[in-house]
Amino acid sequence: MPSYTAPVRDMQFVLHDLLDVSQAGIPGYEDLDRDTTAAILEEAAKLAENVLAPLNPAGDEQGCTLENGVVRTPDGFKEAFDQVREGGWTALDCDPEYGGQGLPYLVSTAVGEMFTSANMAFNMYQGLTHGAYNAIHAHGSPEQKAMYLPKMVSCEWGGTMNLTEPHCGTDLGLIKTRAVPQDDGTYRITGQKIWISAGEHDMVDNIIHLVLAKIPGGPEGVKGISLFIVPKFLVNEDGSLGDRNALSCGGLERKMGIHGNATCVMNYDGATGFLIGEAHKGMRAMFTMMNEARVGVGLQGYAQGAVAYQNALAFAKDRVQGRDVTGAANPDDPADPIIVHPDVRRNLMDQKAFVEGARAFAFWGASLIDRAHRSQDAAAEGLISLLTPVIKGFLTDKGFETTVLAQQTLGGSGFTREWGLEQFVRDARITMIYEGTNGVQALDLVGRKLGADGGKHVMAFFEMVKEFIAANKGTDAEFDAQFLDPLRAASKDLQAAGMFFMQNGMKNPNEALAGSYDFMHLFGHVCLGLMWARMALAARAALAAGGGDTAFHETKIATGRYYMARQLPATRTHLARIESGAGPVMALDAEAF
């Protein structure tokens, strides 16, 4: 049976030693002192460890069932959902006007990591609701906000987003779902959507579906897409529930992982829908939800890696096999724990260095979102827009890889259900696929985000790295050599890749797009390198101040050194692949494959 312990100590380090949140100058952050964040995180940890994590294996084994149009979630999910809801955890960063607590998104991110590591399938129910809440909050009318948001904030009502159809996913311009205007201002929604997470379940009183559809006579392609609120039960003017809408769950997907989450085929048979925002402007509203979802999926990726690493580490300390080649670690026992072996250490260090670096990257990204929204900071908005495909793509690719490394640590035991590692592998795999496959994220990064606003956001990133290196050069020779020099080299690789795209991509777009996936990973490594250099600096400062917890800070520095020496040099390989151009990738005719 796998276990989970929330990494409260490490989260506190990232929040206060790395990001120095209470001094960040972001409205609302001044209240985030160490005692306040500790109180929140420790309470969330209790819920994650004692309620959600024990349900994860059983939820995976039992899954969801569809009976007479009703989806039943696994045993214990509804009671746990009630606890999460009653504790106010669904409302952390929501608008107080609609019953939210108004805390920063960063706090919600930290709590979200715990809940996701503990039980990813379970946490998706409230995660999708939060995304739908955000879309209505940003684009809905005052009347729509008043009607739907309070009960979505409390998760008395759930929420979904409905994009994909059987014949189209990424190319949403091909959708066939229709929205026919009615005399009363409503629309009749007809069509089928697939892969709808939490599309039907038994944990809430109502589900508010956000559905992309086309109004007849509108423009072709994505310019003709509108977004509609389509509730499972219509809502009366007094807020009470009315008639069942003309929509239903037509089936549940049989999936590799996240069995505890209901992934539904949704049929809309002339259902009553309500337009959000302007007609034919639905993609703008949907991307409010999609961008949040992509950051959230990046979190899912490394959060599954984090819990997998915890269990791999526990196994490596307990499992005895072979002898330490430098001398028996436990001479009184017939064998030593496998953690003494260098290759097991390499495996665990790869996991640890990624998970802690990814946590810092994700929390920094959340702080950029808060700065953009709470301070109306256009530079922060531009930077997080640039980094979103990196957060989603890189952290999920490496997060899945981390679960596989953790599974490998257990050897044959990792391949059995008893130990739980194979579930983490299966659950993590979806993160590389949904909310836009990672190939699509890479294309978005290179094809759209790099050149946005004349490329000023990527140039600002380069300048930020350069200024950090310049400001800290000469700290001492050891820090320069172990952290600043590798970061400088990696940043130069990233700049060289961008220059290659500029020089060759205009003449032949394939020259850029063939290297887009490598560029996304190159960028991700530079971001984690920057995080590790900053964390090492913060840990050194804490040691110099003599504040205690010496072992924690020394371990942080040693882990950072590992990343800079063993992982960050991957940027050279990615650059070499990028500079090979499109020729090797596009050499074969389709018939030759």
Side-chain angles (χ1 to χ4, degrees), residues 2-7 44-59 77 111-123 299-300 303-304 306-308 310-311 423-424 427:
S3 63
Y4 175 65
T5 301
K46 294 175 185 176
L47 189 57
E49 294 168 1
N50 301 325
V51 178
L52 304 187
L55 289 174
N56 197 36
F77 268 45
V111 171
E113 182 197 321
M114 294 184 193
F115 290 177
T116 299
S117 287
N119 196 326
M120 177 173 156
F122 175 91
N123 197 59
L299 181 148
Q300 288 181 334
Q304 289 302 286
V307 66
Q310 285 188 10
N311 285 271
Q423 182 190 347
F424 300 138
D427 285 355

Side-chain angles (χ1 to χ4, degrees), residues 393-531:
F394 182 71
L395 294 191
T396 58
D397 274 353
K398 301 299 285 187
F400 173 73
E401 180 182 310
T402 299
T403 65
V404 174
L405 289 172
Q407 183 184 40
Q408 188 74 14
T409 307
L410 273 68
S413 297
F415 201 64
T416 65
R417 289 197 171 187
E418 176 186 355
W419 292 87
L421 272 295
E422 60 87 33
Q423 182 190 347
F424 300 138
V425 172
R426 289 185 288 104
D427 285 355
R429 187 63 183 88
I430 185 57
T431 65
M432 304 159 71
I433 297 172
Y434 62 11
E435 306 306 341
T437 64
N438 286 356
V440 170
Q441 302 304 315
L443 296 178
D444 178 49
L445 173 63
V446 171
R448 297 171 61 185
K449 299 299 174 61
L450 279 187
D453 297 323
K456 74 176 184 179
H457 304 303
V458 72
M459 295 306 296
F461 177 83
F462 290 142
E463 188 62 26
M464 178 179 59
V465 175
K466 180 180 177 181
E467 289 177 357
F468 171 80
I469 294 172
N472 295 287
K473 184 175 176 57
T475 298
D476 62 44
E478 184 179 83
F479 184 76
D480 286 1
Q482 294 176 346
F483 289 93
L484 297 186
D485 291 347
L487 178 59
R488 181 186 294 107
S491 181
K492 286 182 177 179
D493 288 343
L494 185 63
Q495 293 177 63
M499 185 61 67
F500 177 86
F501 292 156
M502 289 180 59
Q503 293 172 344
N504 299 278
M506 293 297 291
K507 292 178 289 186
N508 179 5
N510 282 342
E511 294 287 348
L513 299 183
S516 61
Y517 211 95
D518 280 287
F519 187 83
M520 180 178 72
H521 273 248
L522 203 168
F523 208 150
H525 276 298
V526 173
C527 289
L528 260 65
L530 176 61
M531 293 299 102

